[in-house]
Amino acid sequence: MLEARGGCALKIFISHGSGKDAEVVEALGIIAPELSDRGYDVFTDVEKLRVGQQWSPALYEEMYLCDAAIVLLGPNTIAESAWVRREAEILMSRRIVRSLKTVIPCFLGSSSTKTARDRGFGALLTLQAELGQREKNPLPTGELTRRIAQWVLGEFAPVAGPCGESAFFEWTKRVSGYLRVARERDYHSLNDMAEALCCSAEELLHVRASVGAELFLTHLLFRSGELVQQGQESLLPAAVAALRASLGTGRSGLAAELMPSWVDPETAACFVPSPSCSEEAPLILLRAGGSWAAEQHIKRALCNAPRAFTSRALHANGAIPMDESTPEEELLNDCFAALEEIFDIPPGYTLDPGLVKPRPGCREYLVINSSGHDLEDVASVVNSLHKDYPWLVIVVLHPEPLPAGKLLDDLGLARAVKVDLAKSLEMRAYSFMRSLEDVAGIAS
C-alpha cells in the first residue's frame, strides 16, 4: 500500500524544467493546485533545492519519500536540463525496484523521440508507450497540453478525508491496504465494491483512478458505516461481500477495521480523556446494554490503532457469591482479576498499586456492567480503584435512565461523563455488526 510521509497526506513529487518550456509551465499551473485541493502534499519547487554541483539532501528526501511522481518534459527541458534527467533516473529506479508504484511521464510540445532517448529519457519514453497502449484510459499523445494535464489529474482520486488527524489517516491507510490487495488480484473488484455502495458516476471515476482510489473508496466505506447513526441502512456489509472472490479470508480483517465506523466520532471522543485530565480519574457512564458498545466506542476513539489500548469487561451480576463476601467485595474482587489482565501482571504475582504504572502509548480501560449491582456499590468500587490507579479509564454500563446529577454528586461520581446511547441506535448497530461478521466469515 502507499506509505504517506508524516501520516498526513500522500506526497506527490513533480519534476519540471522550471520555466524552460511554456507547455510545462501551463501543465504545472493546472496540475499542482488541483492535486493540492484533492488532499495531496504536492512538491514542485525543486529548483530551490538544486544548489550548484551539490544536490541538497532535502531534494533526495523529497524523491525517495514521495508516494507518486509526475515528470513534465518539454523540448528545452529535454535539451538543457541535466537535473530533470537525474531526477527521472532516480524516480524510475524506485519504480523498477517497486518502491514507487506510480511515475507519470508527460512529454509536452514538439520534441523528437530520438533526442529524448539520446538525452537519457528512454525509460520514460518506454513507460509513456505502455500508458498509451493500456486498455483503460490510455495516455493521449499528440494532444494539447491542457488535455494531457486533465488526463494526469484523472489518475489521482481525491483523498482528503473527514478528519485530518494522523491517527485517522493511519486507520484509513490500513483499510486501503486491504483494498489494494483486492485490486491487485482482480482489477474490477473495487468497481464491484463501489457499485455495491451505489456510488455516483463521478465517484466511480475516482475509484478507477491509478493513485488514491483505495483511500477515496475507504472514506466512502466510512461514510456508509456512519449511516447507521442516521437511522439508515448501511450498504457496507454488501460492499465487503463484493470482495469475496478477490480478498478471500482477508475480508475478516477488513470487516474488523470497519466495524467501529458506525460510532459517532464526537461521542467517541469522550472515551479518550485529554492529557490534562490524566490524574482526574476518568469515568464514563454509558447507557448501553452490552460491553460490545463500549468496546466499539473505544476503538472509534483511538482509530482502531493496534496496541493503542487494553480493556477488560465484567459481566452483569447474576451469580450467587461462593463465600460470605458482600456484593461490593465480590465486585471489587472481580475488578482486581480483570486489572491483573489489563496491567499484564505475571503469573504468581498479585496486583500491587505501587508497582503498576501507566504504559506510554497505551490506554487502559475497565468496563463494569452495573446491571444487578446497587449503584452505591459500583460507586464505592470505582472510587476505590481510582485512588490507586487514577489514570485507568473506567466505563460503567448502566441501564436507562442514567442517574441524575445530584445522585452522582452524592455518590462521589460528579466527574462522570454521561453518554446516552439510544436503544434504537444500539439495536441498529448490533444488527450492522452481525451483518459484517456474516459476510466476512467471522465466528461470533
Side-chain angles (χ1 to χ4, degrees):
M1 61 183 289
L2 290 178
E3 292 294 336
R5 187 180 68 176
C8 295
L10 295 178
K11 185 163 187 64
I12 310 299
F13 182 94
I14 303 182
S15 177
H16 58 94
S18 188
K20 290 182 171 63
D21 296 279
E23 298 90 347
V24 169
V25 173
E26 180 184 1
L28 185 64
I30 297 171
I31 294 170
E34 177 61 26
L35 288 180
S36 295
D37 289 345
R38 294 186 184 187
Y40 294 93
D41 179 5
V42 182
F43 180 82
T44 64
D45 205 2
V46 293
E47 201 66 23
K48 288 184 179 179
L49 298 184
R50 298 168 181 156
V51 183
Q53 298 302 312
Q54 296 290 328
W55 272 17
S56 165
L59 182 55
Y60 280 109
E61 181 180 338
E62 296 292 341
M63 285 188 289
Y64 279 105
L65 295 182
C66 66
D67 304 295
I70 302 167
V71 184
L72 302 177
L73 297 164
N76 295 326
T77 304
I78 292 172
E80 302 172 13
S81 180
W83 299 114
V84 173
R85 183 183 71 245
R86 193 171 181 184
E87 291 162 7
E89 290 171 350
I90 291 173
L91 295 170
M92 286 301 292
S93 70
R94 283 193 61 199
R95 184 177 184 274
I96 290 170
V97 299
R98 299 185 179 180
S99 73
L100 180 63
K101 182 177 181 180
T102 302
V103 178
I104 299 177
C106 294
F107 289 85
L108 305 167
S110 58
S111 179
S112 71
T113 301
K114 184 179 184 304
T115 300
R117 289 192 183 279
D118 290 344
R119 291 287 295 163
F121 294 100
L124 282 178
L125 284 168
T126 300
L127 179 55
Q128 177 188 241
E130 292 174 0
L131 292 173
Q133 294 170 5
R134 71 182 188 182
E135 181 180 351
K136 299 289 185 180
N137 191 29
L139 169 65
T141 57
E143 299 283 353
L144 295 175
T145 298
R146 185 170 293 275
R147 169 75 184 279
I148 294 177
Q150 291 300 325
W151 177 88
V152 171
L153 292 173
E155 294 292 287
F156 295 85
V159 296
C163 178
E165 63 185 75
S166 61
F168 184 84
F169 188 78
E170 291 299 325
W171 191 9
T172 60
K173 285 202 301 178
R174 293 197 303 273
V175 174
S176 70
Y178 286 98
L179 304 188
R180 183 173 298 282
V181 170
R183 177 178 241 178
E184 289 173 351
R185 293 175 178 173
D186 179 359
Y187 179 82
H188 301 287
S189 60
L190 296 195
N191 191 71
D192 295 339
M193 173 179 261
E195 289 181 348
L197 289 173
C198 297
C199 288
S200 67
E202 181 180 0
E203 288 170 336
L204 286 172
L205 286 176
H206 293 321
V207 169
R208 298 184 186 116
S210 297
V211 178
E214 293 85 1
L215 278 175
F216 175 77
L217 185 52
T218 294
H219 290 298
L220 296 186
L221 293 173
F222 273 98
R223 271 173 33 196
S224 182
E226 291 170 357
L227 292 177
V228 176
Q229 281 280 341
Q230 304 166 22
Q232 302 179 39
E233 179 184 2
S234 172
L235 297 174
L236 201 154
V240 173
L243 300 185
R244 181 174 284 108
S246 58
L247 202 54
T249 57
R251 297 192 317 280
S252 60
L254 175 60
E257 289 283 9
L258 293 170
M259 203 79 76
S261 62
W262 67 271
V263 178
D264 175 53
E266 293 186 7
T267 302
C270 299
F271 288 73
V272 183
S274 64
S276 61
C277 297
S278 59
E279 299 299 324
E280 295 183 6
L283 174 64
I284 296 103
L285 195 59
L286 174 65
R287 198 232 56 83
S291 60
W292 64 268
E295 180 183 7
Q296 292 297 305
H297 279 75
I298 293 169
K299 288 184 175 181
R300 181 63 184 85
L302 298 173
C303 295
N304 208 24
R307 298 174 297 281
F309 70 95
T310 58
S311 69
R312 292 295 182 273
L314 274 63
H315 296 294
N317 186 37
I320 299 175
M322 302 295 293
D323 51 29
E324 296 182 358
S325 299
T326 66
E328 179 184 339
E329 292 170 336
E330 189 78 14
L331 176 59
L332 187 59
N333 288 333
D334 288 343
C335 289
F336 285 152
L339 290 181
E340 289 180 357
E341 296 185 54
I342 292 173
F343 297 141
D344 200 17
I345 304 299
Y349 286 79
T350 57
L351 194 63
D352 185 342
L355 296 179
V356 177
K357 304 295 181 185
R359 287 178 281 189
C362 180
R363 294 189 178 275
E364 291 153 326
Y365 292 82
L366 175 65
V367 182
I368 299 174
N369 194 327
S370 67
S371 295
H373 293 285
D374 289 335
L375 191 55
E376 291 81 359
D377 291 340
V378 174
S380 178
V381 168
V382 167
N383 290 328
S384 175
L385 293 175
H386 268 158
K387 286 180 181 178
D388 291 328
Y389 315 105
W391 70 88
L392 177 69
V393 184
I394 299 179
V395 182
V396 175
L397 300 179
H398 193 277
E400 56 183 336
L402 291 175
K406 185 178 186 308
L407 177 57
L408 294 178
D409 287 344
D410 294 341
L411 294 173
L413 302 180
R415 66 188 182 282
V417 176
K418 294 197 287 186
V419 177
D420 195 344
L421 185 63
K423 184 176 292 185
S424 57
L425 173 57
E426 190 174 2
M427 295 293 289
R428 289 196 306 272
Y430 187 73
S431 177
F432 164 76
M433 290 169 51
R434 290 301 300 269
S435 296
L436 262 182
E437 290 173 347
D438 288 344
V439 301
I442 300 175
S444 300

